[in-house]
Amino acid sequence: MQTNEREFRQAQQFLTEHDHFLVVSHVQPDGDAVSSTLVVGWLLSCLGKNYVMVNEGPIPKRMEYLSESEQIVDLSQAPLTESHKYVICVDCADFKRTGKSSLHFSEDAQILNIDHHPTNDGYGTVNLIVPNAAATVEILYDLIRFMNLEMNQNVATAIYTGLLTDTGGFRYSSTSPKVMEIASKLLEYGVDGPGLSELLLEQMTLPQLKLLTRALNGLQISEDGKISWVSVDDNDMEITGAIHEDLEGIVNYPRNIQGVEVGLLFKVINENAVKVSMRSAGKVDVASVAQSFGGGGHVRAAGARIEGTLETIVPRVIEQVKKQL
Ligand code: AMP
Ligand code: MN
Ligand code: MN
């Protein structure tokens, strides 16, 4: 089935031989991160294992329909009292993407690193990295089959959610024949495909729409029309009543302008840090741009957290993108 059968076998061994796991995804989790956490949790429960699912912060409200999502511990609200030796990281391109969750890894922790980012640096004790997978849930789907486990509708819904969100609704170039084949099988388990598309891709809250409007009001474009960007700060969030998850998707607007090669969203985190989201129309490898700022991601979607003020960071990032054009 897999060309990388050895990695799948090692991952299976990690799960079957140990117990009392910590399941972790990246800070500010997206649909793939939340779903992958839940799929691993389900897999461990099938094996009769003990585990705790955590994230540095809350999971997006929009994803609360996912079965067992309320079991993911928000460490900002409820820190754990003990540390864990066996850790499973999902959808985390590098160790620091786990954020404050890593404070709960023991010093001699063994990590199973399951991910699809080509920039993944292989920080795990065991690494199951499949860069051509559209989402981490795609790897987990293969792992479930590899381990001969029988899925149910709830797990199928989580896997579908990860695929749907990471492929932008089965539209990005990562939407391989295999992705569509998996999606088709998941629908047979009773997944509500149209309902999930409506909830995750179509619906907007009013504050979200207001934030988008405000951001687009300040849209900028380079002289050659190839780079376009917007920025958002806490004042924008406050005035519109938007929450963090409402930032999702804004970066696509500058990217969608005809002729634009790279769209950027700058989100001011505090006086001395900015998160930049990068989207490419195809020519520019934004993962390498993000990496040059200590971030990572995929060729056409990447991000980084950069120290400095918005005024200094914007020209630096644009300069770096221009070099790639
Ligand atoms: P985002 O712009 O946050 O939607 O992220 C786009 C892609 O870049 C995702 O695949 C993320 O996993 C990745 N990414 C975002 N921020 C970072 C970061 N600080 N370090 C590494 N990868 C990142
Ligand atoms: Mn992710
Ligand atoms: Mn992902």
Side-chain angles (χ1 to χ4, degrees), residues 257-287:
I257 300 168
Q258 276 188 0
V260 166
E261 284 299 333
V262 175
L264 304 164
L265 165 68
F266 296 93
K267 168 68 181 41
V268 178
I269 299 172
N270 57 44
E271 284 139 31
N272 208 37
V274 172
K275 157 83 200 264
V276 56
S277 289
M278 312 180 184
R279 297 294 183 271
S280 166
K283 277 193 196 143
V284 174
D285 173 4
V286 286

mmCIF file of all heavy atoms in Angstrom, residues 257-287:
data_model
loop_
_atom_site.group_PDB
_atom_site.id
_atom_site.type_symbol
_atom_site.label_atom_id
_atom_site.label_comp_id
_atom_site.label_asym_id
_atom_site.label_seq_id
_atom_site.Cartn_x
_atom_site.Cartn_y
_atom_site.Cartn_z
ATOM 1 N N ILE A 257 -6.239 38.293 -6.468
ATOM 2 C CA ILE A 257 -6.227 39.360 -7.476
ATOM 3 C C ILE A 257 -5.482 38.862 -8.715
ATOM 4 O O ILE A 257 -4.387 38.291 -8.595
ATOM 5 C CB ILE A 257 -5.528 40.627 -6.929
ATOM 6 C CG1 ILE A 257 -6.256 41.135 -5.684
ATOM 7 C CG2 ILE A 257 -5.452 41.714 -8.008
ATOM 8 C CD1 ILE A 257 -5.473 42.200 -4.914
ATOM 9 N N GLN A 258 -6.069 39.073 -9.877
ATOM 10 C CA GLN A 258 -5.419 38.619 -11.114
ATOM 11 C C GLN A 258 -4.059 39.270 -11.261
ATOM 12 O O GLN A 258 -3.923 40.478 -11.084
ATOM 13 C CB GLN A 258 -6.296 38.972 -12.317
ATOM 14 C CG GLN A 258 -7.368 37.936 -12.558
ATOM 15 C CD GLN A 258 -8.114 38.172 -13.870
ATOM 16 O OE1 GLN A 258 -7.829 39.106 -14.610
ATOM 17 N NE2 GLN A 258 -9.074 37.309 -14.140
ATOM 18 N N GLY A 259 -3.065 38.463 -11.566
ATOM 19 C CA GLY A 259 -1.708 38.966 -11.748
ATOM 20 C C GLY A 259 -0.868 38.904 -10.485
ATOM 21 O O GLY A 259 0.360 38.980 -10.539
ATOM 22 N N VAL A 260 -1.511 38.753 -9.335
ATOM 23 C CA VAL A 260 -0.745 38.673 -8.083
ATOM 24 C C VAL A 260 -0.131 37.275 -7.946
ATOM 25 O O VAL A 260 -0.814 36.266 -8.132
ATOM 26 C CB VAL A 260 -1.631 39.010 -6.859
ATOM 27 C CG1 VAL A 260 -0.950 38.592 -5.560
ATOM 28 C CG2 VAL A 260 -1.946 40.498 -6.831
ATOM 29 N N GLU A 261 1.152 37.245 -7.640
ATOM 30 C CA GLU A 261 1.841 35.961 -7.431
ATOM 31 C C GLU A 261 1.858 35.566 -5.958
ATOM 32 O O GLU A 261 1.796 34.397 -5.626
ATOM 33 C CB GLU A 261 3.284 36.045 -7.958
ATOM 34 C CG GLU A 261 3.394 35.976 -9.469
ATOM 35 C CD GLU A 261 2.851 34.677 -10.050
ATOM 36 O OE1 GLU A 261 2.848 33.648 -9.351
ATOM 37 O OE2 GLU A 261 2.407 34.700 -11.220
ATOM 38 N N VAL A 262 1.984 36.572 -5.076
ATOM 39 C CA VAL A 262 2.038 36.263 -3.645
ATOM 40 C C VAL A 262 1.120 37.216 -2.872
ATOM 41 O O VAL A 262 1.189 38.434 -3.037
ATOM 42 C CB VAL A 262 3.481 36.375 -3.102
ATOM 43 C CG1 VAL A 262 3.510 36.169 -1.588
ATOM 44 C CG2 VAL A 262 4.389 35.343 -3.773
ATOM 45 N N GLY A 263 0.249 36.621 -2.063
ATOM 46 C CA GLY A 263 -0.620 37.388 -1.169
ATOM 47 C C GLY A 263 -0.135 37.211 0.254
ATOM 48 O O GLY A 263 0.293 36.113 0.639
ATOM 49 N N LEU A 264 -0.189 38.293 1.026
ATOM 50 C CA LEU A 264 0.329 38.240 2.396
ATOM 51 C C LEU A 264 -0.675 38.825 3.381
ATOM 52 O O LEU A 264 -1.381 39.791 3.063
ATOM 53 C CB LEU A 264 1.623 39.058 2.498
ATOM 54 C CG LEU A 264 2.781 38.696 1.554
ATOM 55 C CD1 LEU A 264 3.790 39.840 1.518
ATOM 56 C CD2 LEU A 264 3.435 37.406 1.998
ATOM 57 N N LEU A 265 -0.704 38.215 4.555
ATOM 58 C CA LEU A 265 -1.453 38.792 5.672
ATOM 59 C C LEU A 265 -0.490 38.972 6.833
ATOM 60 O O LEU A 265 0.170 38.011 7.260
ATOM 61 C CB LEU A 265 -2.605 37.870 6.097
ATOM 62 C CG LEU A 265 -3.227 38.181 7.470
ATOM 63 C CD1 LEU A 265 -3.977 39.511 7.470
ATOM 64 C CD2 LEU A 265 -4.171 37.063 7.920
ATOM 65 N N PHE A 266 -0.380 40.208 7.308
ATOM 66 C CA PHE A 266 0.438 40.484 8.495
ATOM 67 C C PHE A 266 -0.489 40.671 9.682
ATOM 68 O O PHE A 266 -1.362 41.543 9.654
ATOM 69 C CB PHE A 266 1.270 41.758 8.285
ATOM 70 C CG PHE A 266 2.274 41.636 7.175
ATOM 71 C CD1 PHE A 266 1.952 42.042 5.878
ATOM 72 C CD2 PHE A 266 3.535 41.113 7.415
ATOM 73 C CE1 PHE A 266 2.872 41.931 4.842
ATOM 74 C CE2 PHE A 266 4.470 41.006 6.385
ATOM 75 C CZ PHE A 266 4.136 41.413 5.095
ATOM 76 N N LYS A 267 -0.317 39.846 10.705
ATOM 77 C CA LYS A 267 -1.118 39.999 11.927
ATOM 78 C C LYS A 267 -0.178 40.400 13.063
ATOM 79 O O LYS A 267 0.724 39.639 13.426
ATOM 80 C CB LYS A 267 -1.842 38.679 12.262
ATOM 81 C CG LYS A 267 -2.456 38.634 13.659
ATOM 82 C CD LYS A 267 -3.616 39.588 13.797
ATOM 83 C CE LYS A 267 -4.275 39.636 15.171
ATOM 84 N NZ LYS A 267 -3.495 39.600 16.363
ATOM 85 N N VAL A 268 -0.407 41.599 13.581
ATOM 86 C CA VAL A 268 0.420 42.058 14.701
ATOM 87 C C VAL A 268 0.063 41.232 15.932
ATOM 88 O O VAL A 268 -1.100 41.171 16.329
ATOM 89 C CB VAL A 268 0.173 43.563 14.981
ATOM 90 C CG1 VAL A 268 0.995 44.031 16.170
ATOM 91 C CG2 VAL A 268 0.483 44.388 13.738
ATOM 92 N N ILE A 269 1.056 40.564 16.509
ATOM 93 C CA ILE A 269 0.816 39.751 17.706
ATOM 94 C C ILE A 269 0.988 40.610 18.956
ATOM 95 O O ILE A 269 0.179 40.586 19.865
ATOM 96 C CB ILE A 269 1.767 38.529 17.757
ATOM 97 C CG1 ILE A 269 1.524 37.640 16.539
ATOM 98 C CG2 ILE A 269 1.552 37.734 19.045
ATOM 99 C CD1 ILE A 269 2.534 36.521 16.387
ATOM 100 N N ASN A 270 2.070 41.368 18.997
ATOM 101 C CA ASN A 270 2.284 42.351 20.062
ATOM 102 C C ASN A 270 3.255 43.399 19.533
ATOM 103 O O ASN A 270 3.580 43.391 18.340
ATOM 104 C CB ASN A 270 2.805 41.671 21.342
ATOM 105 C CG ASN A 270 4.092 40.892 21.099
ATOM 106 O OD1 ASN A 270 5.003 41.375 20.426
ATOM 107 N ND2 ASN A 270 4.167 39.689 21.633
ATOM 108 N N GLU A 271 3.730 44.293 20.423
ATOM 109 C CA GLU A 271 4.597 45.390 19.956
ATOM 110 C C GLU A 271 5.832 44.893 19.230
ATOM 111 O O GLU A 271 6.432 45.613 18.437
ATOM 112 C CB GLU A 271 5.053 46.242 21.146
ATOM 113 C CG GLU A 271 3.984 47.163 21.657
ATOM 114 C CD GLU A 271 3.954 47.229 23.176
ATOM 115 O OE1 GLU A 271 5.023 47.078 23.802
ATOM 116 O OE2 GLU A 271 2.852 47.406 23.724
ATOM 117 N N ASN A 272 6.222 43.674 19.530
ATOM 118 C CA ASN A 272 7.474 43.213 18.945
ATOM 119 C C ASN A 272 7.390 41.867 18.218
ATOM 120 O O ASN A 272 8.382 41.155 18.101
ATOM 121 C CB ASN A 272 8.564 43.174 20.024
ATOM 122 C CG ASN A 272 9.934 43.370 19.421
ATOM 123 O OD1 ASN A 272 10.097 44.143 18.474
ATOM 124 N ND2 ASN A 272 10.921 42.642 19.932
ATOM 125 N N ALA A 273 6.216 41.512 17.730
ATOM 126 C CA ALA A 273 6.090 40.268 16.966
ATOM 127 C C ALA A 273 4.912 40.338 16.003
ATOM 128 O O ALA A 273 3.858 40.888 16.323
ATOM 129 C CB ALA A 273 5.930 39.078 17.904
ATOM 130 N N VAL A 274 5.138 39.788 14.814
ATOM 131 C CA VAL A 274 4.113 39.774 13.774
ATOM 132 C C VAL A 274 4.036 38.368 13.194
ATOM 133 O O VAL A 274 5.065 37.718 12.985
ATOM 134 C CB VAL A 274 4.482 40.777 12.643
ATOM 135 C CG1 VAL A 274 3.531 40.647 11.459
ATOM 136 C CG2 VAL A 274 4.471 42.217 13.164
ATOM 137 N N LYS A 275 2.803 37.895 12.974
ATOM 138 C CA LYS A 275 2.639 36.613 12.271
ATOM 139 C C LYS A 275 2.351 36.944 10.810
ATOM 140 O O LYS A 275 1.476 37.762 10.522
ATOM 141 C CB LYS A 275 1.468 35.842 12.900
ATOM 142 C CG LYS A 275 0.803 34.787 12.000
ATOM 143 C CD LYS A 275 1.529 33.466 11.998
ATOM 144 C CE LYS A 275 1.170 32.633 10.786
ATOM 145 N NZ LYS A 275 0.142 31.656 10.949
ATOM 146 N N VAL A 276 3.120 36.340 9.905
ATOM 147 C CA VAL A 276 2.835 36.555 8.491
ATOM 148 C C VAL A 276 2.340 35.253 7.854
ATOM 149 O O VAL A 276 2.910 34.185 8.082
ATOM 150 C CB VAL A 276 4.037 37.162 7.722
ATOM 151 C CG1 VAL A 276 5.287 36.318 7.854
ATOM 152 C CG2 VAL A 276 3.705 37.362 6.241
ATOM 153 N N SER A 277 1.233 35.365 7.128
ATOM 154 C CA SER A 277 0.707 34.243 6.352
ATOM 155 C C SER A 277 0.991 34.529 4.891
ATOM 156 O O SER A 277 0.770 35.650 4.429
ATOM 157 C CB SER A 277 -0.803 34.119 6.545
ATOM 158 O OG SER A 277 -1.085 33.651 7.832
ATOM 159 N N MET A 278 1.472 33.518 4.176
ATOM 160 C CA MET A 278 1.853 33.719 2.773
ATOM 161 C C MET A 278 1.121 32.719 1.885
ATOM 162 O O MET A 278 1.042 31.540 2.205
ATOM 163 C CB MET A 278 3.355 33.484 2.609
ATOM 164 C CG MET A 278 4.197 34.196 3.640
ATOM 165 S SD MET A 278 5.943 33.861 3.354
ATOM 166 C CE MET A 278 6.626 34.708 4.778
ATOM 167 N N ARG A 279 0.617 33.208 0.762
ATOM 168 C CA ARG A 279 -0.028 32.331 -0.214
ATOM 169 C C ARG A 279 0.541 32.635 -1.594
ATOM 170 O O ARG A 279 0.669 33.797 -1.973
ATOM 171 C CB ARG A 279 -1.546 32.550 -0.246
ATOM 172 C CG ARG A 279 -2.255 32.217 1.066
ATOM 173 C CD ARG A 279 -2.205 30.735 1.414
ATOM 174 N NE ARG A 279 -2.957 30.446 2.632
ATOM 175 C CZ ARG A 279 -2.450 30.477 3.854
ATOM 176 N NH1 ARG A 279 -1.189 30.789 4.053
ATOM 177 N NH2 ARG A 279 -3.215 30.192 4.896
ATOM 178 N N SER A 280 0.848 31.583 -2.350
ATOM 179 C CA SER A 280 1.444 31.762 -3.666
ATOM 180 C C SER A 280 0.498 31.275 -4.751
ATOM 181 O O SER A 280 -0.226 30.295 -4.565
ATOM 182 C CB SER A 280 2.747 30.955 -3.731
ATOM 183 O OG SER A 280 3.183 30.839 -5.067
ATOM 184 N N ALA A 281 0.529 31.962 -5.891
ATOM 185 C CA ALA A 281 -0.273 31.521 -7.033
ATOM 186 C C ALA A 281 0.424 30.362 -7.748
ATOM 187 O O ALA A 281 -0.157 29.757 -8.647
ATOM 188 C CB ALA A 281 -0.506 32.678 -7.988
ATOM 189 N N GLY A 282 1.653 30.064 -7.380
ATOM 190 C CA GLY A 282 2.334 28.903 -7.954
ATOM 191 C C GLY A 282 3.795 29.112 -8.298
ATOM 192 O O GLY A 282 4.591 28.192 -8.185
ATOM 193 N N LYS A 283 4.160 30.326 -8.695
ATOM 194 C CA LYS A 283 5.548 30.548 -9.141
ATOM 195 C C LYS A 283 6.532 30.618 -7.980
ATOM 196 O O LYS A 283 7.651 30.145 -8.076
ATOM 197 C CB LYS A 283 5.632 31.852 -9.950
ATOM 198 C CG LYS A 283 5.237 31.680 -11.396
ATOM 199 C CD LYS A 283 5.618 32.885 -12.237
ATOM 200 C CE LYS A 283 4.873 32.840 -13.573
ATOM 201 N NZ LYS A 283 4.471 34.160 -14.042
ATOM 202 N N VAL A 284 6.095 31.261 -6.895
ATOM 203 C CA VAL A 284 7.002 31.475 -5.761
ATOM 204 C C VAL A 284 6.814 30.384 -4.709
ATOM 205 O O VAL A 284 5.673 30.038 -4.366
ATOM 206 C CB VAL A 284 6.749 32.870 -5.131
ATOM 207 C CG1 VAL A 284 7.578 33.063 -3.870
ATOM 208 C CG2 VAL A 284 7.038 33.966 -6.146
ATOM 209 N N ASP A 285 7.922 29.840 -4.228
ATOM 210 C CA ASP A 285 7.874 28.859 -3.144
ATOM 211 C C ASP A 285 7.854 29.626 -1.817
ATOM 212 O O ASP A 285 8.899 30.015 -1.309
ATOM 213 C CB ASP A 285 9.104 27.944 -3.245
ATOM 214 C CG ASP A 285 9.220 26.992 -2.060
ATOM 215 O OD1 ASP A 285 8.315 26.988 -1.204
ATOM 216 O OD2 ASP A 285 10.223 26.259 -2.005
ATOM 217 N N VAL A 286 6.639 29.847 -1.288
ATOM 218 C CA VAL A 286 6.559 30.651 -0.065
ATOM 219 C C VAL A 286 7.076 29.902 1.166
ATOM 220 O O VAL A 286 7.431 30.522 2.166
ATOM 221 C CB VAL A 286 5.134 31.229 0.189
ATOM 222 C CG1 VAL A 286 4.835 32.375 -0.766
ATOM 223 C CG2 VAL A 286 4.063 30.168 0.140
ATOM 224 N N ALA A 287 7.145 28.573 1.084
ATOM 225 C CA ALA A 287 7.711 27.818 2.216
ATOM 226 C C ALA A 287 9.161 28.238 2.447
ATOM 227 O O ALA A 287 9.594 28.412 3.587
ATOM 228 C CB ALA A 287 7.630 26.318 1.956
#
